[in-house]
Amino acid sequence: MKDTLWKPFPGGIYPQGGMMEPLPNSAETLLAAAITALGGEGFAPALYAWLVRSFEIDNTTIVAYFQTRRPQILYTQARVAEVHDHIETEYVSGAYLLDPFHELHVRRVPEGLYRLRDFAPDQFHRNEYYASYYRRTTLIDEMAYVAYPAEGVSVHVCLGRDASSGRLFSPREVEV
C-alpha cells in the first residue's frame, strides 16, 4: 500500500492515545467511503477510488458470473479505452467462456486473490482466447479477488496493468 497521509488536529493537540485524523483522500478515508456505500449505486466508484489510491493499477473491472446466464459487467474503469472496448460486444457475448477467470467461477475456487499468470493454462499467449480477445485489451498483467455473494454467483474484482504503464505486478504487490 502507498504511504498513508495524516494531518494533526487543529492546534497540534492530539486526542488521547496520540491518534491523528486521516486526510480526506487518504486510503483509510476512501475505504470508509466504500464501506459506507455498500449496497448502493456509489459502491463501485467508491471502491475504485480506494483501489487506485492504495495500489498502482491501470484498470479495474468488476464482473459477476452466473451458473445459468452470461456474465454481467458491473463496473469498468481504465486509463486507456482499449482495455474495455470489446467487453460488452465480444466478452459478454461468448469470449468469457474461454477466460481463465471464468474457469475459476466454474471450478468454484475458494474466495481470495488470484493472479492470471499463476493459473492460466500453459501457452496462454498462444490460445484462441488470447488471440481473438485478450491481446486487444492491452492487458499485460491481471489479478482478481473472487467472492461468492450468493448461490451460483461469483463476483470478480479484477485489477489490471496494461500498455499504459507497461508494468507487471511485483511479488510484493501481489502479497498485499
Side-chain angles (χ1 to χ4, degrees):
M1 277 190 163
K2 294 179 181 176
D3 291 334
T4 304
L5 299 175
W6 295 89
K7 68 177 181 179
F9 280 89
I13 300 171
Y14 300 97
Q16 191 172 11
M19 297 294 294
M20 294 188 289
E21 178 183 328
L23 287 172
N25 288 324
S26 71
E28 290 83 3
T29 301
L30 294 171
L31 178 58
I35 292 168
T36 301
L38 271 170
E41 296 272 329
F43 172 69
L47 178 63
Y48 176 75
W50 172 70
L51 288 168
V52 78
R53 173 67 176 92
S54 301
F55 306 99
E56 293 182 36
I57 56 174
D58 299 336
N59 59 74
T60 299
T61 307
I62 303 175
V63 59
Y65 293 108
F66 305 92
Q67 295 301 100
T68 58
R69 63 182 172 109
R70 293 177 177 183
Q72 181 179 353
I73 306 304
L74 302 174
Y75 184 79
T76 61
Q77 188 66 251
R79 291 181 187 171
V80 293
E82 291 88 353
V83 173
H84 297 114
D85 271 352
H86 305 283
I87 199 164
E88 293 289 345
T89 57
E90 294 178 28
Y91 185 82
V92 172
S93 296
Y96 75 92
L97 293 166
L98 300 173
D99 185 348
F101 283 111
H102 177 258
E103 182 62 23
L104 296 179
H105 166 77
V106 171
R107 291 187 0 231
R108 193 159 170 79
V109 299
E111 289 184 335
L113 185 67
Y114 294 86
R115 188 176 184 184
L116 181 63
R117 67 183 334 172
D118 294 336
F119 68 89
D122 292 339
Q123 309 301 320
F124 173 70
H125 290 89
R126 294 185 184 150
N127 73 19
E128 179 183 346
Y129 173 72
Y130 183 84
S132 65
Y133 177 78
Y134 198 83
R135 176 185 10 201
R136 291 185 294 154
T137 67
T138 77
L139 285 162
I140 60 170
D141 202 2
E142 187 175 16
M143 56 186 171
Y145 186 82
V146 177
Y148 299 95
E151 185 65 34
V153 178
S154 69
V155 173
H156 297 215
V157 178
C158 304
L159 310 176
R161 293 261 175 88
D162 55 51
S164 68
S165 72
R167 296 182 15 217
L168 299 173
F169 289 107
S170 72
R172 183 170 182 254
E173 290 171 314
V174 175
E175 289 176 11
V176 171

